[in-house]
Amino acid sequence: MTDEQQTLALLLFSGFVAVTLAITTWVSRDRRGSAEEFYTGGRLFSPMENGFAIAGDYMSAASFLGVPGLIALFGYDGLLYVVGFLVAWLVVLFLVAELVRNCGRFTLADVVAARMRERPVRIAAGTSSVTVSVLYLVAQMVGAGSLVALLLGGTSGAARAWTVIGVGALMVIYVSLGGMRATTWIQIVKAVLLLGGTIVLTVLVLMRFHGDLDRLLLTAAERSGHGEAFLAPGLKYGGDWTARFDFISLGLALVLGTAGLPHILSRFYTVPTARAARRSVVWAVGLIGGFYLMTVVLGFGAAAIVGPDAVRGSNASGNTAVPLLALDLGGGAGSTGGTVLFAVVAAIAFATILAVVAGITLASSASVAHDLYASLRRRGGKPRSEVAVARVAAVGVGVVAIALGLLARDLNVAFLVGLAFAVAASANLPVLLYSLFWRGFTTRGAVWAVYGGLIPAVVLVALSPVVSGNPDSLFPDADLQYFPLQNPGLVSIPLGFLAGWLGTVTAAEAPDEAKHAETEVRSLTGAGAA
């Protein structure tokens, strides 16, 4: 990249950082210091505001950088991420949003603990939530490193490292000072910027092909080197039965994982009523649906205009496909239009990463303070003490995410998010659905459901090609590969549901019918909800 492109992109990004820090500072001046204010922003956001914030939370680096990159490299098979990410919201809308808003207060553990013994359930759910959040954060850190390597015109390890550290520091500042209110407004600003930038790029791609989608797809197939196979299933997931099972596993994880993501569930507590939570999801589905349809055009546009070889040459996993596409659409390297468009897209991508990591960090720090710390260290502590612990936890989570982000810097960000979705679907979704809909569910069943999904998911990832045994693995020189699939969802999700059922039917304790009745009434009517 030229010095002019670097300078403009960094100026735009610095402008976004300045605006968001100003929002954080302004919000922090008016805080009351209560747990409700820190975790939910006082539950004062409208459905439209929360819908934009949910969209901002969900449209991550995986969506903007990873998905078009996978489509550019693998064609049709990259579309699985688009379908999975979008269909997942039907599960959230019809099964989760209103019920979670009515039953919980701040975290997933609140929903489950409403009818169980609190301590073991909170420890299990808190551990799972932090694990999912850290995995999700790693993907954002990897995206940040890829962008900076492109911006600075090289693959300097030091540049990537300092970028990841800088992103981590900013996310800790956002969360520690502003809490949910600042995080929400940052998400809204970012969602508007991201949607605007994506619309501009999509229009420019379609104009390049005079609105002819057939010509776009055929050109992409021709430049891919795979011909018609680029537009048919099987390029990435159809080579053998292992690849096909990987396809099914990833699809299950994407469709079922969203309903178990802690930072998505926490957004339902920022609105005043369950009806507002449902309307928030309707807004989010509309915004997210439009965005993912545009990422399809960008992915095939990158294949047709930039070419898969150039995309792979810049970043082996395809994470820089969209910035390279913007550079070409603006007039190419060295042109004023290319410089401006590349800089705008790079700045939006940085903004995306910063906004998403703030939301995830807040959710994970809430789990540490509200669930783990409150259960293990204190009984009945003051809300202000809990908020102080959450701020410290944000620093700890940031440090862990930075370290893992540096380790996984060469993996595709959409693929990394797929792993986080698999763990969420394996550990969080079973206990959530059983708690909401199974009258006979017990405390043992809840604990077994969480650990029965979490432990197999993490172990299977550790024994998969992702970690060792391949040139593209985290540790290419080691060989601990005993599980053939890259995504564990096909095995770990059923194990989570099975463990919850087995723990319940073997439990000596009887289910608390009175608490279940109370939870059922609250979940359906909102009576007694926070």
Side-chain angles (χ1 to χ4, degrees):
M1 300 301 105
T2 65
D3 291 341
E4 190 179 22
Q5 290 166 345
Q6 293 175 22
T7 303
L8 185 55
L10 291 173
L11 283 174
L12 289 170
F13 174 61
S14 300
F16 176 82
V17 171
V19 169
T20 52
L21 285 176
I23 291 172
T24 303
T25 304
W26 172 65
V27 168
S28 65
R29 292 176 60 189
D30 191 34
R31 69 186 184 204
R32 294 190 292 265
S34 68
E36 183 168 339
E37 174 68 22
F38 185 78
Y39 294 141
T40 70
R43 309 184 198 276
L44 299 174
F45 293 100
S46 70
M48 184 182 76
E49 290 170 344
N50 198 42
F52 269 88
I54 290 173
D57 232 341
Y58 197 69
M59 297 183 302
S60 65
S63 304
F64 189 54
L65 300 177
V67 171
L70 284 172
I71 294 174
L73 297 180
F74 301 107
Y76 183 95
D77 280 7
L79 292 175
L80 173 63
Y81 286 87
V82 174
V83 175
F85 283 147
L86 188 53
V87 171
W89 281 96
L90 298 179
V91 178
V92 176
L93 179 60
F94 291 115
L95 292 180
V96 173
E98 287 189 68
L99 305 183
V100 165
R101 171 61 187 81
N102 283 337
C103 288
R105 190 177 174 213
F106 301 136
T107 64
L108 165 69
D110 288 336
V111 180
V112 184
R115 48 178 294 211
M116 311 288 177
R117 284 187 288 117
E118 285 204 30
R119 192 170 186 270
V121 167
R122 286 194 180 278
I123 292 172
T127 301
S128 173
S129 294
V130 172
T131 303
V132 172
S133 297
V134 168
L135 281 173
Y136 211 107
L137 278 172
V138 169
Q140 314 310 314
M141 298 299 187
V142 170
S146 298
L147 265 177
V148 162
L150 184 63
L151 261 180
L152 300 181
T155 55
S156 165
R160 288 193 182 196
W162 282 109
T163 302
V164 169
I165 292 168
V167 170
L170 282 171
M171 77 184 185
V172 170
I173 292 171
Y174 291 147
V175 172
S176 300
L177 292 181
M180 179 59 84
R181 187 170 296 186
T183 300
T184 299
W185 282 111
I186 292 168
Q187 301 286 15
I188 292 170
V189 172
K190 167 252 171 157
V192 172
L193 289 174
L194 182 59
L195 287 168
T198 307
I199 290 170
V200 170
L201 289 179
T202 302
V203 169
L204 290 175
V205 169
L206 294 176
M207 286 175 61
R208 178 72 65 93
F209 292 92
H210 306 289
D212 189 342
L213 291 176
D214 263 355
R215 186 180 167 197
L216 167 63
L217 296 176
L218 291 173
T219 305
E222 181 182 340
R223 291 205 64 181
S224 71
H226 298 286
E228 293 184 0
F230 190 72
L231 304 178
L235 198 59
K236 181 175 175 62
Y237 294 109
D240 52 28
W241 279 105
T242 300
R244 293 173 188 175
F245 281 124
D246 229 341
F247 180 90
I248 297 170
S249 186
L250 178 61
L252 280 174
L254 295 180
V255 170
L256 299 178
T258 299
L261 292 175
H263 65 291
I264 297 298
L265 294 176
S266 67
R267 294 236 57 93
F268 300 137
Y269 302 126
T270 63
V271 289
T273 64
R275 183 169 180 266
R278 184 182 63 201
R279 291 174 60 199
S280 297
V281 175
V282 173
W283 271 98
V285 169
L287 295 169
I288 293 167
F291 171 77
Y292 278 115
L293 287 175
M294 290 187 287
T295 62
V296 174
V297 176
L298 298 186
F300 283 111
I305 297 171
V306 180
D309 291 339
V311 170
R312 195 177 283 109
S314 172
N315 182 273
S317 299
N319 293 333
T320 55
V322 172
L324 291 175
L325 176 64
L327 184 62
D328 197 296
L329 289 172
S335 68
T336 302
T339 298
V340 172
L341 198 55
F342 173 87
V344 169
V345 167
I348 289 173
F350 270 124
T352 295
I353 291 166
L354 278 180
V356 172
V357 296
I360 304 168
T361 305
L362 180 59
S364 56
S365 63
S367 293
V368 171
H370 186 62
D371 300 327
L372 297 177
Y373 176 79
S375 298
L376 293 172
R377 294 296 180 90
R378 292 179 65 93
R379 300 290 177 87
K382 295 181 180 180
R384 186 178 296 275
S385 300
E386 187 177 299
V387 170
V389 173
R391 292 193 172 107
V392 174
V395 177
V397 169
V399 170
V400 172
I402 288 169
L404 292 176
L406 294 174
L407 187 65
R409 60 182 177 270
D410 293 324
L411 296 180
N412 182 275
V413 287
F415 168 74
L416 286 169
V417 164
L419 295 182
F421 274 64
V423 177
S426 303
N428 291 349
L429 185 65
V431 72
L432 181 60
L433 294 183
Y434 279 151
S435 297
L436 291 173
F437 299 109
W438 188 7
R439 182 180 298 275
F441 198 43
T442 63
T443 299
R444 176 191 275 188
V447 174
W448 282 28
V450 173
Y451 292 129
L454 177 64
I455 295 173
V458 173
V459 170
L460 290 177
V461 169
L463 300 178
S464 74
V466 176
V467 173
S468 65
N470 284 331
D472 297 330
S473 302
L474 289 179
F475 303 103
D477 297 330
D479 190 2
L480 300 173
Q481 181 184 334
Y482 297 101
F483 181 66
L485 305 184
Q486 294 191 346
N487 192 291
L490 186 62
V491 176
S492 58
I493 294 172
L495 283 178
F497 281 98
L498 178 62
W501 172 81
L502 190 61
T504 297
V505 298
T506 60
E509 63 177 314
D512 192 323
E513 294 287 342
K515 281 190 176 180
H516 173 267
E518 179 184 342
T519 302
E520 188 174 38
V521 170
R522 178 185 294 180
S523 68
L524 295 175
T525 66

